[in-house]
Amino acid sequence: MASSSSSGLTFKLHPLVIVNISDHFTRIKSQSAPPHSAPNGVDAASPQPTPPPRVFGCVIGVQRGRTVEIFNSFELLYDSSTHSLDRAFLEKKQELYKKVFPHFYVLGWYSTGSDAQESDMIIHKALMDINENPVYVLINPSINPAQKDLPVTIFESELHVIDSIPQLIFVRSSYTIETVEAERISVDHVAHLKPSDGGSAATQLAAHLTGIHSAIKMLNSRIRVLHHYLLAMQKGEIPSENSLLRQVSSLLRRLPAIESEKFQDDFLMEYNDTLLITYLAMFTNCSSTMNELVDKFNTAYDRHSRRGGRAAFI
């Protein structure tokens, strides 16, 4: 396999593709795992680790000149015995996505694994009638704490002469992560939704408070630096800089005047109103509970009275 591509194409990969592939792999892995398997993927009856399942799908996007931008992806059905894709399912999904995203085209396909395999070329060639130069997005699901880069590799196919025989081989291509505003918000929300170690709600709260503490600490240190700089400028130790003084003055004017008496009065009023609403809610809840208790007592008393009357009559 060649080390890098010579096509000159520029690839831009959106986070939505990575999220879709990761979700696809996680679902298939959880569905295919036996009930008696251990959490780390090792079968309790066998010391050999179970190989993770591979998932397959198509990547769609647009190509503008020499720039290929991959926006989205969808899943495909794969037959491991023939190393082929369900063509009818592919055409149906392509037609549906074409109605929703008329400007998107099938740019290639994706899979999971540590590296490209020989059987992957069969799928790659089968997609050449849809795209004459499809791309292959490969994600490595194995966790490597020492790896800092994303476990994502983009391959192209090039025709090389090997032993006097022309053959198609996979070559690596460089790429960049391209995001839009909606994707940045979504990825940030998912990243802060739950810790990677699967901690509890208390752990999430502790992490959140730690982040707030770090932000306040950094803000305090920067304010101290600015304060020392202004004191040195006032003492004449450093020359005055009018542009910086104007920026500091503009920054201070943005701060709310929280030391005024009006702020204290407004704050106490809001605080008292909040306490009053809380007390009213508690009283309402207690009254409702008391009414239910009285109704149950009356019902029990009536039943007891009727039984006593019938016994006296007999």
Side-chain angles (χ1 to χ4, degrees), residues 226 230 246-256:
L226 184 59
L230 293 176
R246 285 193 295 269
Q247 293 179 9
V248 173
S249 177
S250 175
L251 179 63
L252 293 177
R253 284 196 297 268
R254 296 179 184 177
L255 298 177

Side-chain angles (χ1 to χ4, degrees), residues 24-277:
H24 188 191
F25 173 79
T26 303
R27 285 187 286 104
I28 296 300
K29 182 179 179 181
S30 62
Q31 294 171 5
S32 60
H36 58 276
S37 62
N40 58 356
V42 180
D43 197 335
S46 176
Q48 298 295 331
T50 304
R54 299 189 67 190
V55 297
F56 300 86
C58 274
V59 293
I60 59 177
V62 295
Q63 180 173 357
R64 304 181 184 92
R66 309 297 295 175
T67 302
V68 178
E69 193 165 358
I70 305 174
F71 282 93
N72 205 340
S73 63
F74 58 86
E75 305 171 13
L76 291 178
L77 300 179
Y78 175 73
D79 188 356
S80 58
S81 60
T82 60
H83 301 291
S84 61
L85 301 173
D86 189 335
R87 193 56 181 238
F89 183 80
L90 168 60
E91 294 176 353
K92 182 179 179 181
K93 295 285 288 187
Q94 184 182 4
E95 182 182 357
L96 293 176
Y97 267 84
K98 196 67 177 177
K99 294 179 180 178
V100 182
F101 306 102
H103 302 293
F104 288 179
Y105 298 91
V106 174
L107 299 177
W109 62 291
Y110 71 79
S111 183
T112 54
S114 58
D115 200 357
Q117 303 179 8
E118 294 183 0
S119 58
D120 294 343
M121 186 56 70
I122 301 176
I123 303 176
H124 197 79
K125 292 180 180 179
L127 293 176
M128 285 186 173
D129 58 342
I130 300 177
N131 190 316
E132 61 181 8
N133 188 22
V135 299
Y136 177 23
V137 180
L138 180 67
I139 290 186
N140 186 4
S142 302
I143 300 177
N144 184 9
Q147 184 178 1
K148 297 182 179 180
D149 298 331
L150 289 174
V152 180
T153 308
I154 293 183
F155 294 99
E156 293 181 84
S157 58
E158 290 185 354
L159 187 63
H160 287 205
V161 178
I162 302 177
D163 296 332
S164 302
I165 300 176
Q167 298 180 9
L168 277 176
I169 63 172
F170 288 119
V171 293
R172 298 176 184 267
S173 300
S174 59
Y175 65 92
T176 57
I177 299 296
E178 187 76 13
T179 60
V180 295
E181 185 67 22
E183 288 178 323
R184 285 193 291 268
I185 296 175
S186 301
V187 171
D188 183 73
H189 175 71
V190 172
H192 292 83
L193 186 61
K194 188 175 182 180
S196 58
D197 56 354
S200 60
T203 306
Q204 299 180 38
L205 178 60
H208 177 67
L209 295 178
T210 302
I212 294 178
H213 178 266
S214 301
I216 295 176
K217 186 177 180 180
M218 182 181 297
L219 177 62
N220 184 37
S221 62
R222 293 183 178 182
I223 291 176
R224 287 181 178 273
V225 171
L226 184 59
H227 181 250
H228 292 324
Y229 183 82
L230 293 176
L231 288 178
M233 186 182 297
Q234 185 180 14
K235 295 178 181 178
E237 298 176 0
I238 57 176
S240 299
E241 189 174 345
N242 294 328
S243 60
L244 179 61
L245 291 176
R246 285 193 295 269
Q247 293 179 9
V248 173
S249 177
S250 175
L251 179 63
L252 293 177
R253 284 196 297 268
R254 296 179 184 177
L255 298 177
I258 61 176
E259 298 296 334
S260 64
E261 295 182 0
K262 187 178 184 303
F263 174 79
Q264 295 294 335
D265 295 339
D266 293 342
F267 175 76
L268 291 177
M269 185 179 297
E270 291 285 345
Y271 182 69
N272 292 332
D273 291 344
T274 304
L275 290 180
L276 180 60
I277 293 174

